Amino acid sequence: MIRLGILGAGARGSDTYGRWAVGHPERARVAAVADPDRHRRDRLGARAGVPEAHRFADWRDLVAQASAIGVDAFVIALPDRLHVEAALAAAATGLPILLEKPAAVTEEELEALASAARELEARIWIGHVMRYQPFWRTIRRLADAGSIGRLLTVRVEENIGFWHYAHSYVRGNWRNVASSSPMVLAKTCHDLDIIRWFAGEAPATVASVGSLSYFRPEHAPAGAPARCLDGCPAADSCPFYAPRYYAEALAATDGWPVALLGDDLSPQGRLDALRTGPYGRCVFHSDNDVVDHQQTVAEFPGGLTAVLSTSAFTGQNTRTVRLTGTAGEVAGNLRTGALEIDLFSPTAELPELPEARPGKSFTREPMGHRVFEVYAGPVTLGGEPDHRGHSGGDEALIDAFVTALEQNRDDGADRAAPDRTAPHRAVPDRAAPDLEASLDSHRMAFAAERSRAEGRTVHWGRP
């Protein structure tokens, strides 16, 4: 089995990657865990059977002892601003790395990571889970098969959901650029990665507009206090009233997002957390400064143009997409998994789509061209769309990571740290995505933020 060293035992490290390893004991196990919070590291350690001696308060100690413990690969799920430091240390061991996004929060750190990865021939997977979702993989199959002809436009809408935005980007960890990163990186590097994935090349230009327009002190209801539980006069009507969300609507939930309140998730524990912690703050009196809406346009050398629209002000928390090509178009909604595929030729047929379930087909006037409906995505036992684990992307990503390591081992790949004095040797990671292409999504995000802040179009590769 593959022995994982997990750096960071929060929601991603523990509840996503650690949980997968516990559920697949024949393929992987958590050999070591590092987290400064004893409760978090012991919770994962106990669940995964990690010996006390292999539970570390400092991730650096885990990396230093990885060889002695017998770690085969690292999972880095630390806070965003520690990603590069940890990835550089882990890469120096020669072991493969699954690195949560964003890979870096500044352009300088990103390029330092890219340079080190090239020099060390590091094997790094970035946590772009959307590539692994059946929904996006099905669309990619359609594009690769030539079903819609030459791809000319991509439009992705990131509908964050008003409640999700308030939780993560007003009250939560990603609310402030100084402590995290711009929202176009923290949230939509996933979407930019999908656009880059479809384009097959880096863009020529990037332009972006947007701002923080609403979640500001001047828009607070009259008399609104700093915290929701401090006697807010607008409690009954405010859609962002924290107790209604964390204590009432999510009363039966103890995972994300409620788990971020703290260890005591009893009704009283939740209220106590809202009285003192960040999630009980008025959304108009927080220290947030990231944008609440943004539109980004990218033009690619091959002629493709792409638009990414992001908004906090949506009722649904989902993504919608439309691709147009010279022979057809495809439109879809990630929440439902539904894809509608228009093929302009009256004799056109769909290629094989193994991750999709067929729906109805019909012709559309006035030309009588073919239209097909399919549904791509995991479903519950009752047949409804299953949105857990990023619509199947989380499990598919860690599965692909472990599968690649298993294949390398079967191929006789050397899992020991490489000899840096020997000639460089490529390591055949079959399922590893192109790291440079993955990092391009971050470069696109930085370019978009520079364009937004400076009011100009950014040309790729130029300051």
Side-chain angles (χ1 to χ4, degrees):
M1 67 183 71
I2 302 300
R3 294 163 293 184
L4 301 174
I6 296 185
L7 281 56
R12 300 295 292 168
S14 179
D15 297 336
T16 298
Y17 305 119
R19 187 183 298 276
W20 187 92
V22 171
H24 297 80
E26 75 287 356
R27 298 187 59 198
R29 65 181 289 258
V30 180
V33 58
D35 195 288
D37 185 301
R38 174 179 288 276
H39 172 77
R40 288 200 298 258
R41 69 175 180 268
D42 285 348
R43 181 183 60 179
L44 175 57
R47 184 196 308 159
V50 179
E52 287 279 353
H54 298 169
R55 304 179 192 179
F56 300 93
D58 192 321
W59 62 265
R60 298 168 186 83
D61 295 331
L62 192 161
V63 172
Q65 298 186 42
S67 178
I69 294 171
V71 167
D72 296 306
F74 296 106
V75 174
I76 299 177
L78 294 163
D80 294 354
R81 291 192 169 272
L82 297 177
H83 285 183
V84 170
E85 181 185 358
L88 292 175
T93 71
L95 296 177
I97 301 164
L98 174 55
L99 175 60
E100 258 300 294
K101 65 84 188 170
V105 296
T106 69
E107 293 182 80
E108 293 75 19
E109 284 193 329
L110 183 75
E111 297 310 327
L113 175 63
S115 177
R118 288 190 293 267
E119 179 183 349
L120 298 173
E121 295 184 340
R123 295 165 283 172
I124 302 176
W125 283 250
I126 305 298
H128 288 309
V129 297
M130 284 173 58
R131 291 182 181 215
Y132 297 88
Q133 293 170 340
F135 179 83
W136 297 102
R137 292 173 68 86
T138 296
I139 299 174
R140 177 64 186 261
R141 286 183 186 274
L142 286 165
D144 286 350
S147 299
I148 61 173
R150 177 188 168 198
L151 186 60
L152 292 178
T153 72
V154 175
R155 186 172 79 228
V156 178
E157 292 181 329
E158 165 63 284
N159 307 290
I160 300 177
F162 69 95
W163 52 270
H164 184 189
Y165 183 88
H167 169 76
S168 295
Y169 302 98
V170 178
R171 295 168 168 142
N173 293 336
W174 296 276
R175 65 187 183 271
N176 190 283
V177 172
S179 60
S180 177
S181 62
M183 194 184 70
V184 69
L185 176 66
K187 179 61 172 168
T188 65
C189 69
H190 281 309
D191 308 88
L192 294 170
D193 180 64
I194 285 294
I195 290 171
R196 170 65 174 82
W197 193 42
F198 284 139
E201 60 183 347
T205 62
V206 176
S208 189
V209 294
S211 64
L212 173 60
S213 296
Y214 185 60
F215 296 98
R216 305 166 63 93
E218 60 266 30
H219 296 129
R227 292 184 169 275
C228 293
L229 284 171
D230 288 348
C232 181
D236 291 341
S237 60
C238 180
F240 306 104
Y241 184 61
R244 184 182 304 113
Y245 180 52
Y246 296 102
E248 298 175 18
L250 299 178
T253 298
D254 59 6
W256 184 92
V258 175
L260 297 178
L261 294 180
D263 300 337
D264 182 2
L265 298 181
S266 67
Q268 187 58 50
R270 297 180 189 215
L271 294 177
D272 290 343
L274 295 179
R275 287 191 178 92
T276 59
Y279 295 100
R281 292 185 293 191
C282 172
V283 293
F284 303 103
H285 294 305
S286 186
D287 60 346
N288 59 303
D289 63 5
V290 299
V291 301
D292 53 26
H293 67 289
Q294 187 167 359
Q295 280 67 45
T296 299
V297 179
E299 183 177 16
F300 293 83
L304 173 70
T305 56
V307 178
L308 170 60
S309 179
T310 308
S311 178
F313 309 104
T314 64
Q316 293 188 8
N317 172 217
T318 189
R319 289 175 168 93
T320 57
V321 62
R322 184 176 298 273
L323 278 69
T324 68
T326 56
E329 69 173 337
V330 55
N333 185 306
L334 178 61
R335 183 174 181 272
T336 64
L339 294 170
E340 185 175 276
I341 305 153
D342 283 57
L343 302 182
F344 301 157
S345 170
T347 61
E349 296 291 343
L350 288 180
E352 184 177 356
L353 302 173
E355 295 173 292
R357 307 179 304 283
K360 65 181 180 180
S361 62
F362 54 94
T363 59
R364 177 165 285 157
E365 300 301 332
M367 298 300 293
H369 68 272
R370 306 289 303 278
V371 182
F372 301 87
E373 291 182 355
V374 301
Y375 295 85
V379 297
T380 65
L381 292 177
E384 295 299 317
D386 188 350
H387 306 297
R388 294 173 300 176
H390 284 109
S391 298
D394 287 346
E395 287 206 354
L397 170 60
I398 184 65
D399 182 272
F401 180 62
V402 170
T403 296
L405 303 186
E406 292 168 336
Q407 291 173 335
N408 290 338
R409 180 173 290 175
D410 292 343
D411 289 344
D414 183 5
R415 44 178 297 272
D419 180 359
R420 297 303 175 199
T421 65
H424 287 310
R425 175 176 58 86
V427 181
D429 282 325
R430 296 175 181 172
D434 180 348
L435 177 61
E436 284 293 330
S438 293
L439 297 183
D440 273 349
S441 68
H442 294 55
R443 296 181 177 110
M444 291 167 69
F446 290 127
E449 187 64 7
R450 194 157 63 246
S451 171
R452 186 191 72 83
E454 299 174 6
R456 65 182 178 92
T457 296
V458 173
H459 293 263
W460 196 253
R462 302 182 196 173

